[in-house]
Amino acid sequence: MKIVLQLIFSFVILWPTTLSQNYYVPIQENEVAYEFHYNINDLLSGVVTHRWESKYGDYVRGSYSFLEPNGMIRNVNYEVDGKRGYRAITKFLKPQQSLERLRPVYAPKDFLEVLFSLHNPNYRMISDDMIWDFTYLPLKVKTLPELRHHYRDLATADLLLGLTCCQCLTTLSSGSTSQGEQERITLGEKVLQHQHAPVCQEFLKLGAPRSLRGRLWAQILGSNVKSSEQHYSELKQRVLHYDMLIDKLITKDVQLTACNDDQYFVFEDALNQIMLCFTRDTDVLSVFNNSTSHPILTSLKGKPPMEAIYPPNGIIPFHGFTMYAAPVCYLFNDPVPLYYTFRAFYLRYWFRLHVISSHPQSILGLCILFQRLLQRHETKIWSHFMSHNIHPIRVVFKWLMKGFSGHLLPEQLLNLWDMVIAYDSLEVLPLLAVAILSFRKDNLLQVNTLQNVDSVLVDLSSLNVMSLLQLALKGPIKI
């Protein structure tokens, strides 16, 4: 029998405190605040119950559940306050099944096989044994000189935040900020006062101070919406009132990815909350406006029969989808700006990484850009892979499709995403991928299987993203 019991009881003498995202409860001096919960879930013996309650000032919130004789679980969520009295919502749920048998709908490697299956009817392949690039697809991508011109500020910057790891470690250990970073913070505050996204983008090209990054992203992405709190509350109510099969896939993905990552496991609850809200957000359907793809339609019972989009946001999550949101958790304590910044980032950039499109910054365009950069500027690695039947894109595809999330340390990843927003381009992803292979070239040339190549590249924790990007842009990619 699995029993979890936790009791928290405290006398609180505080100034006004925020209870949750939706409630503001002023706690008077000497008022009691407490919270307790316990959970018993043993289907074999038939004991399935839980109890939870918290009190802050005059406001009480809680829930309880028990197993009905018909096998359903009665779940009651209630709240009590002095003005509105007692209110409760009762739901009948099926006993929760184990998530062990659930599997993601697809993973990055499955999507890569779909890309490999694409064919140009006007192109006849000499051999189907191995396709070394996507040259048979008529997509134009930038050359290295064009990339150097696009990222010229990054290539020529001398004072760039995040450029040296040693400075970061010294700063963190001392608990202070360097003089250069303090000057950037002062300048950044002035930039944010203008509330003008292009100015913030120009500022971000030289890196973001940690204390300002969240506000800069929100300003550039336009996620500062006055009505966001009300809309987010509505999304949470939809999660509470309607269960969907997709919820289990989201929960499973959080468990398989963020919960197994030392850098993100502390955000499990926040990720579950914002990802479940994301599945109910119909504003996400806007990604289909300029796409040839369409969301899935499901039939609804009734007369006359109707069709509805499922899930409501139209997005089927893949294995690792949660990692688009996990790094953003470092920027916000409040789930409302966290959610809307993640959503804005997804709607502007991330959706391109798991749809088939002719856009130059789609996942297909990024794969072509990576392969052409590697073939033209790192010929030794390319020839070595070709001679041992190792497809280069299989080595880095998981990096590209997840925007390197889960592969780089959070601070390095956020520095990389700064560049994505600042230059309004995902092309920095394949550029970094080639730079990493160049950096590990000596080791890569000594292995001759895909498995061993992955072993060489499994640990990227020692890499400094800004240094690699600068070295790749300043001259030939010979790192």
Side-chain angles (χ1 to χ4, degrees):
M1 177 182 296
K2 181 180 179 182
I3 303 178
V4 179
L5 176 62
Q6 181 177 352
L7 178 64
I8 304 173
F9 189 88
S10 58
F11 291 89
V12 183
I13 304 176
L14 296 171
W15 49 85
T17 305
T18 300
L19 170 64
S20 67
Q21 294 75 26
N22 298 322
Y23 300 97
Y24 177 78
V25 181
I27 301 178
Q28 303 299 328
E29 186 175 359
N30 297 326
E31 280 195 336
V32 175
Y34 67 81
E35 179 176 350
F36 71 87
H37 67 82
Y38 63 83
N39 182 64
I40 303 175
N41 187 12
D42 190 358
L43 292 175
L44 295 178
S45 64
V47 180
V48 179
T49 183
H50 93 275
R51 179 82 168 85
W52 169 79
E53 184 174 285
S54 65
K55 175 180 172 66
Y56 294 84
D58 292 332
Y59 178 73
V60 179
R61 183 174 60 165
S63 68
Y64 62 88
S65 67
F66 55 86
L67 189 64
E68 293 275 5
N70 61 2
M72 300 294 287
I73 296 177
R74 179 193 293 265
N75 187 78
V76 180
N77 294 294
Y78 63 88
E79 61 181 12
V80 183
D81 62 31
K83 296 181 180 180
R84 292 178 290 185
Y86 176 85
R87 296 184 301 170
I89 297 176
T90 302
K91 297 170 64 177
F92 291 92
L93 310 172
K94 294 182 179 180
Q96 184 174 5
Q97 301 296 322
S98 172
L99 297 177
E100 293 181 0
R101 296 184 178 181
L102 285 179
R103 294 291 181 270
V105 178
Y106 67 100
K109 61 180 181 180
D110 303 316
F111 189 58
L112 179 57
E113 297 303 324
V114 174
L115 296 183
F116 282 148
S117 68
L118 298 177
H119 295 287
N120 184 349
N122 299 321
Y123 183 90
R124 184 175 64 86
M125 299 181 189
I126 299 176
S127 174
D128 293 332
D129 293 339
M130 191 162 191
I131 304 171
W132 284 102
D133 56 28
F134 294 103
T135 53
Y136 53 89
L137 298 176
L139 294 183
K140 178 175 174 56
V141 296
K142 286 187 174 70
T143 62
L144 184 57
E146 290 173 333
L147 288 174
R148 287 173 180 157
H149 177 74
H150 183 72
Y151 293 101
R152 57 189 178 277
D153 294 331
L154 171 61
T156 58
D158 293 326
L159 296 176
L160 190 66
L161 290 184
L163 188 57
T164 57
C165 290
C166 296
Q167 290 179 354
C168 296
L169 293 174
T170 304
T171 300
L172 288 173
S173 61
S174 62
S176 61
T177 56
S178 63
Q179 182 179 357
E181 185 172 1
Q182 187 58 51
E183 292 175 356
R184 290 285 292 169
I185 292 174
T186 303
L187 179 59
E189 292 287 359
K190 295 179 181 179
V191 168
L192 285 167
Q193 290 177 2
H194 289 283
Q195 297 184 352
H196 192 47
V199 177
C200 292
Q201 276 185 298
E202 287 300 314
F203 175 83
L204 198 60
K205 288 181 179 180
L206 295 182
R210 297 182 185 90
S211 59
L212 301 182
R213 179 176 277 130
R215 293 163 60 191
L216 287 167
W217 284 21
Q219 182 65 49
I220 296 170
L221 296 172
S223 57
N224 291 324
V225 183
K226 294 182 179 179
S227 60
S228 58
E229 288 195 20
Q230 180 181 355
H231 182 239
Y232 188 72
S233 298
E234 293 174 357
L235 294 176
K236 290 202 299 183
Q237 290 300 316
R238 295 175 193 173
V239 173
L240 290 174
H241 292 159
Y242 305 102
D243 293 324
M244 299 191 301
L245 177 61
I246 204 78
D247 297 349
K248 294 183 179 180
L249 292 177
I250 291 293
T251 303
K252 181 71 171 181
D253 190 58
V254 173
Q255 292 180 358
L256 291 176
T257 54
C259 292
N260 288 328
D261 194 311
D262 293 340
Q263 308 295 332
Y264 302 110
F265 72 94
V266 294
F267 302 123
E268 178 183 1
D269 292 339
L271 287 171
N272 274 313
Q273 182 180 144
I274 64 173
M275 296 308 294
L276 290 177
C277 289
F278 183 74
T279 61
R280 271 79 170 174
D281 195 340
T282 55
D283 290 345
V284 180
L285 292 170
S286 61
V287 299
F288 296 98
N289 292 342
N290 299 314
S291 174
T292 56
S293 59
H294 301 281
I296 297 175
L297 296 178
T298 184
S299 299
L300 299 178
K301 295 181 179 179
K303 295 182 179 180
M306 301 176 62
E307 289 185 332
I309 296 174
Y310 185 86
N313 68 348
I315 306 299
I316 303 296
F318 59 87
H319 176 54
F321 188 82
T322 303
M323 297 308 292
Y324 288 147
V328 189
C329 294
Y330 278 99
L331 306 185
F332 303 98
N333 293 323
D334 188 341
V336 177
L338 165 61
Y339 173 76
Y340 285 98
T341 302
F342 153 67
R343 191 188 73 170
F345 213 129
Y346 177 84
L347 292 177
R348 184 176 294 192
Y349 302 110
W350 297 146
F351 82 95
R352 299 192 184 279
L353 299 183
H354 60 98
V355 297
I356 299 176
S357 168
S358 59
H359 193 281
Q361 294 190 43
S362 67
I363 186 62
L364 189 58
L366 299 181
C367 289
I368 294 174
L369 177 59
F370 163 77
Q371 291 195 329
R372 291 182 182 173
L373 289 175
L374 187 68
Q375 185 178 15
R376 296 174 184 177
H377 304 283
E378 277 296 348
T379 55
K380 286 186 178 180
I381 297 178
W382 177 271
S383 300
H384 179 74
F385 283 169
M386 183 170 61
S387 63
H388 292 92
N389 209 34
I390 302 173
H391 202 305
I393 199 62
R394 292 189 186 276
V395 177
V396 303
F397 187 76
K398 56 184 177 294
W399 299 346
L400 300 180
M401 189 170 174
K402 295 181 182 179
F404 280 90
S405 183
H407 300 284
L408 295 171
L409 291 179
E411 183 62 27
Q412 296 299 318
L413 181 68
L414 293 174
N415 287 336
L416 176 63
W417 289 11
D418 283 343
M419 297 301 104
V420 171
I421 299 176
Y423 291 91
D424 194 28
S425 173
L426 290 169
E427 291 161 330
V428 70
L429 301 180
L431 180 64
L432 178 61
V434 175
I436 292 174
L437 296 189
S438 300
F439 185 74
R440 298 280 174 87
K441 177 166 61 175
D442 292 341
N443 300 100
L444 292 173
L445 294 179
Q446 296 177 15
V447 297
N448 52 23
T449 66
L450 180 60
Q451 183 178 1
N452 290 337
V453 169
D454 289 338
S455 299
V456 171
L457 301 171
V458 68
D459 183 10
L460 305 182
S461 59
S462 62
L463 300 182
N464 183 280
V465 167
M466 307 307 288
S467 298
L468 288 172
L469 290 175
Q470 276 205 331
L471 289 171
L473 290 167
K474 284 184 176 180
I477 305 183
K478 293 182 179 179
I479 300 174

